[in-house]
Amino acid sequence: MSGERLPLAPRPLTEPHPSRLSPEHPHRERVLAAHAAALAAGEAGYLDPDTGLFVLTAGFLARRGTCCGRGCRHCPYVTD
């Protein structure tokens, strides 16, 4: 990574790329609700409703300015 700021993908921060959270995911609505609540509160992340793992929000990742390449669920940079 060069450290250069990347452009955000052309979709709302509330909508993860389908490769990161499938439209068929059995708990998609719960995940999106937890993400939306964390975004609205300005929090860096939320606890995944299924696993209890901490997941970074698209807002936090966007403020970072670059993609880390680790496959984040809400990566605001992934387009393909």
Side-chain angles (χ1 to χ4, degrees):
M1 275 192 291
S2 67
E4 182 179 325
R5 291 192 72 84
L6 297 174
L8 298 177
R11 66 175 181 279
L13 292 179
T14 54
E15 185 61 35
H17 190 276
S19 69
R20 303 297 173 94
L21 183 64
S22 168
E24 290 81 35
H25 187 283
H27 304 289
R28 180 180 171 84
E29 293 308 314
R30 287 181 13 187
V31 168
L32 292 179
H35 180 251
L39 275 176
E43 296 173 354
Y46 63 94
L47 295 179
D48 181 274
D50 294 327
T51 65
L53 296 174
F54 189 76
V55 180
L56 296 171
T57 67
F60 174 85
L61 297 169
R63 287 188 297 276
R64 185 167 38 188
T66 61
C67 176
C68 66
R70 294 189 178 130
C72 298
R73 176 183 283 166
H74 299 286
C75 181
Y77 303 102
V78 68
T79 58
D80 52 3

